[in-house]
Amino acid sequence: MAKLFSRRVIFALWLTFVGLWAERIMRAAWPLLSTLFFGMGVLLLAAPDLWLSPWPKLAWGIWLLSGLYGLWYFFRHFSAPTFGAAFARLDHNRPDRPLAALRDNQALGQDDPASAALWQAHMAQMRAAAAKASAVGPQLDLAPRDPFALRYIAVLVFVIGGLFGSLQALRTGLGTTPVAIAVGPQWEAWLQPPANTRRPMIYLNDVMGAELSVPQDSVVLVRLYGDAGLHAVEETLSGRAADAFDAADPSQTFLVTRSGRLAISGPEGAAWQVSMLPDTPPEVEVIGEMTRDAEGSFSLSFTARDDVAVTAGRAWVQLTLEEVDRRYGLAVEPAPQPDIELALPLTISGNRAEFTEVLKEDLSKHVWAHLPVSLRLEVEDMRGQLGHSAALEMALPARTFFDPLAKALVEQRRDLLWSGDNQRRVEQLLRAISQAPESLFRDAEDADVLAQIIQDLEMATDLEAAAEALWILALEVEDGDLEQAAQKLARAQDKLAEAIKNGATPEEIARLMDELRQAQREYFKEFEERNPQSEQPESLPDDKLVSPSQLQEMMDRLQQLMEEGRMAEAQELLEEINRLMQNLQMTPGQSSGEGQEGQDGQEGGGQQAEDLADSLRQQQELSDETFRDLQGQPPGDQPGGGGTEGGDAAGEEGRLSQESLSEQQKQLERDVARQRGNLPGAGTEAGQATRRALDEAAEAMDQAAEDLRAGDLPGALDNQSDAIDALREAMRRLGETLDEQARPGQGATPNDRRAEGQSQNPSSRDPLGRDVGGNGQLGAGEQMVPQEELRLRSQELMEEIRRRAGSLERPEEERNYLQRLLDRF
């Protein structure tokens, strides 16, 4: 055969022969192989403890019978293939059967050269066709024999068992290894530190026999499994009596109140030595001296600390009755008054283990104003433990009135609040005061108000309302006279300047000069009443001081220049006098450093600072509303969420809310842009910094509005936070601008006076050399401090953020965002 066929044909013939063997074996052995594969897959997937039940014996029997049937089927249907069958299959696979043709011999015409040549040509053609022969694969064709595809089921079970099963189960099923039943722990124990410590929970099964140090009031949870009484809890941590609990109770929870030992007795028990870290009470102490501003507000710095965190703080003010000068209206027994409770500001930085803050309050309207009191600070921790500061004995800081009539009104108000028995006395004194109102009141309306107060007291109406009316009237008397005098002085200055500019007659100028001198005298009279310090400072250079006599000389010089017709020089001298007077007439909120704003300055810097503070408050409220929308937003409405059918209504409501917030944000941006055009100090560094900060705030607000419109609440919160920071920076810079403007000449008014007993500061002098106190004007410094309610709301918000950030049931995205807020602030 090797001579007839090429090696390629012989190789294809052998492959076809092997395929025939595979075909015959598979057709006969498929039931046996399916049984084997199925059984092996079941063995791999079966649980080890399943072999202890009676069901495997039945399965073994079925599998054995299936295997015997497979053997019978194999011997019944198997027949070994021959090489000739392989030759025939390979030859039948070619159209001309070249293999059989090559084995033929020429029967006729062997001696005929033409016939022999034709035969050789035929053989060459067959050899070429045979050379193209390729092996024929096996024809399994098992579908007619296995119509239910049982062979595929068996293979699938075997593959799944190989991927997910266990060889240990196979060895157990075959009986080569003993069955070991997998069991869980027979007990479990956990130790949870208090939430405020932010310590993680300890799984005691992982630290058997360890020595542990845990905070006081940590929670121990124990779960006992298995038969009742098999295990028991032994502990000396909670201080419970031995007969107060069942040591074998399957579920036990108790607090760590002392150091001691915890043990689980029984099979596979364990023990731990636990050291308790006691929670010490918090501490608080006063730092430095208490300060008071011209309006009566006091500031007190304090430091609070705790081993974990301070959660609350209060300041208690008690009247020291034995130290009160019990004369006049204070001679009667006082009406019961509760101690004054003030909330201490807590830091919002996220760490309250130790912090320093400033308590700012104004108790000028309280009945104990200027009376001896005792002030004590108190702080509290998570366990309710209290810490107290040393008592501070002092007179309760409050506003000081200098106008005699205002002082009398305030004193009667105090007597009225001290005791209702003083009502008749106060009524009589007020009636005596109002006998000649024209000599006391500049404004007739103030006299009418006092008459109405007296009438209300006669009718025994609400004493609280009468006391409030007396307070308002005292403020009007204290501040109104000086303000009216300042306005009259400004009008006289303006009229004289206009007369010089327009070339008025000497008679008109003389009349206007008399009017200006009279306005100056009235203003100085009111100013002297409110600035009793009259000593001339010696430490200031002469060019910084102007005495009243020197100012009078300047007025005489002004009149001489105008009489001589030297109007240009008179105009310059009048402007110099105006600058000196404007530096002197400082009212609340006025900035006089450059003298260019005149009376309009009374509402300049102070009003702008108030506007910025109002914008900051509105931005914080918008941020709060955005945060609440984020908390109430369904998970499907979060950016990137899939949404659900049930959340469509809530999502639509949320989108409407976000559109409303977006419009409010845009309106606030427009307000900030408007405020930018009214800022002072355009040519100063602080003024430019204020404008840049407002530009940054407006840009952040615009981006926040876009985020709200797009539904990106986390992004909007980030931009709103940037806007708040920029507004705070703008307010700080505005304060610097106003301070720079006020620095050349500090005036003093009743609203801008240093508290009694403060040290003199030579740098704080008015143009006449008087000491106006260390506080200076009521400028932007006070405006920088948020209102009390805003501070309390900020504290409550931070507490809520901390609580929600530690809530594990909230989405991870939300908790991450809350944690970023805590880290930032």
Side-chain angles (χ1 to χ4, degrees), residues 92-133:
H92 280 80
N93 195 43
R94 301 300 302 169
D96 299 331
R97 298 193 177 185
L99 299 182
L102 290 175
R103 297 173 66 178
D104 292 341
N105 294 319
Q106 185 176 0
L108 300 174
Q110 296 180 356
D111 297 332
D112 184 4
S115 178
L118 180 60
W119 179 259
Q120 292 300 325
H122 171 66
M123 287 294 103
Q125 185 179 4
M126 291 299 103
R127 278 191 295 271
K132 299 178 180 179

Side-chain angles (χ1 to χ4, degrees), residues 716-776:
L717 280 171
D718 288 340
N719 286 299
Q720 287 174 338
S721 177
D722 294 339
I724 290 174
D725 291 342
L727 285 174
R728 287 173 177 162
E729 176 64 14
M731 294 177 69
R732 186 179 70 84
R733 291 294 191 172
L734 178 59
E736 295 176 0
T737 302
L738 297 177
D739 289 342
E740 290 177 1
Q741 291 181 346
R743 199 166 293 130
Q746 294 286 356
T749 68
N751 292 330
D752 194 12
R753 185 171 292 107
R754 185 175 54 210
E756 295 178 9
Q758 285 184 294
S759 60
Q760 300 290 333
N761 183 359
S763 64
S764 298
R765 308 289 183 181
D766 66 23
L768 300 181
R770 299 180 178 87
D771 184 359
V772 299
N775 290 321

Side-chain angles (χ1 to χ4, degrees), residues 255-578:
L255 296 178
V256 177
T257 59
R258 63 182 67 180
S259 299
R261 179 175 178 272
L262 171 64
I264 309 294
S265 62
E268 300 182 8
W272 302 266
Q273 192 67 33
V274 180
S275 298
M276 186 196 73
L277 303 176
D279 186 3
T280 59
E283 300 177 358
V284 61
E285 61 180 349
V286 176
I287 302 176
E289 299 291 334
M290 178 179 290
T291 60
R292 179 179 67 88
D293 63 15
E295 288 295 304
S297 298
F298 68 86
S299 301
L300 183 65
S301 299
F302 65 93
T303 294
R305 64 182 65 89
D306 187 60
D307 49 3
V308 179
V310 175
T311 59
R314 293 164 291 275
W316 295 98
V317 181
Q318 297 176 322
L319 178 67
T320 310
L321 189 59
E322 58 274 11
E323 300 292 334
V324 176
D325 185 5
R326 302 291 297 277
R327 294 186 299 168
Y328 311 118
L330 303 181
V332 301
E333 285 300 314
Q337 289 280 355
D339 293 342
I340 303 174
E341 179 182 358
L342 306 174
L344 291 182
L346 303 182
T347 180
I348 59 174
S349 64
N351 180 16
R352 295 186 179 177
E354 182 172 2
F355 61 90
T356 299
E357 278 290 344
V358 179
L359 172 65
K360 293 179 179 290
E361 289 292 342
D362 185 0
L363 299 177
S364 298
K365 297 176 67 174
H366 199 275
V367 64
W368 295 345
H370 300 296
L371 296 182
V373 296
S374 174
L375 184 144
R376 180 170 47 89
L377 305 184
E378 176 184 275
V379 291
E380 182 179 353
D381 64 6
M382 288 287 293
R383 300 183 67 248
Q385 300 181 107
L386 299 177
H388 300 89
S389 69
L392 184 62
E393 305 293 337
M394 61 180 181
L396 185 63
R399 175 169 178 164
T400 301
F401 289 83
F402 296 93
D403 186 274
L405 177 57
K407 291 175 64 175
L409 294 174
V410 170
E411 181 179 349
Q412 297 312 304
R413 172 186 177 275
R414 181 202 63 188
D415 294 346
L416 190 62
L417 294 177
W418 178 264
S419 173
D421 297 338
N422 284 330
Q423 179 178 352
R424 180 62 178 170
R425 178 178 179 274
V426 170
E427 175 194 334
Q428 292 174 345
L429 288 174
L430 292 180
R431 187 174 295 280
I433 290 174
S434 61
Q435 285 300 312
E438 63 280 354
S439 62
L440 291 176
F441 295 98
R442 286 182 177 273
D443 192 343
E445 293 183 359
D446 294 343
D448 295 339
V449 172
L450 182 57
Q452 182 62 45
I453 294 174
I454 296 173
Q455 182 180 351
D456 293 341
L457 289 175
E458 290 176 346
M459 299 175 63
T461 56
D462 187 6
L463 298 184
E464 293 287 343
E468 180 66 20
L470 282 172
W471 176 261
I472 297 174
L473 180 58
L475 292 179
E476 179 66 25
V477 172
E478 177 75 9
D479 299 335
D481 290 346
L482 181 61
E483 181 179 353
Q484 292 176 6
Q487 292 175 355
K488 184 176 180 180
L489 176 61
R491 287 194 298 270
Q493 292 170 341
D494 293 341
K495 289 163 64 176
L496 182 57
E498 189 69 19
I500 295 175
K501 180 179 179 182
N502 296 332
T505 63
E507 292 77 12
E508 292 175 339
I509 290 179
R511 180 178 59 80
L512 294 175
M513 282 294 300
D514 292 340
E515 184 179 338
L516 178 58
R517 291 178 188 272
Q518 179 63 27
Q520 285 181 347
R521 284 193 293 270
E522 293 180 2
Y523 182 81
F524 284 142
K525 177 178 179 297
E526 296 295 336
F527 191 86
E528 288 286 352
E529 291 179 358
R530 290 154 178 76
N531 292 270
Q533 302 91 344
S534 59
E535 295 183 0
Q536 189 80 317
E538 299 179 357
S539 57
L540 291 179
D542 294 339
D543 58 350
K544 297 294 183 181
L545 299 177
V546 179
S547 66
S549 59
Q550 290 174 332
L551 186 60
Q552 184 63 38
E553 292 176 1
M554 295 176 69
M555 294 292 295
D556 295 340
R557 175 63 175 167
L558 174 63
Q559 186 168 3
Q560 180 182 353
L561 291 174
M562 289 188 296
E563 290 174 353
E564 295 176 356
R566 298 157 66 180
M567 294 303 177
E569 298 178 32
Q571 180 71 30
E572 294 179 0
L573 182 57
L574 179 60
E575 292 177 357
E576 179 65 24
I577 295 174
N578 290 346

Side-chain angles (χ1 to χ4, degrees), residues 174 226 442 516 671 801-802:
L174 296 176
R442 286 182 177 273
L516 178 58
D671 292 342
I801 291 176
R802 291 190 186 95

Side-chain angles (χ1 to χ4, degrees), residues 154 211 231-232 259 267 335 349 383 393 497 585 639 668 685 796:
E211 295 185 2
H231 297 85
S259 299
S349 64
R383 300 183 67 248
E393 305 293 337
Q585 56 187 32
L668 184 57
E685 180 180 352
E796 294 173 358

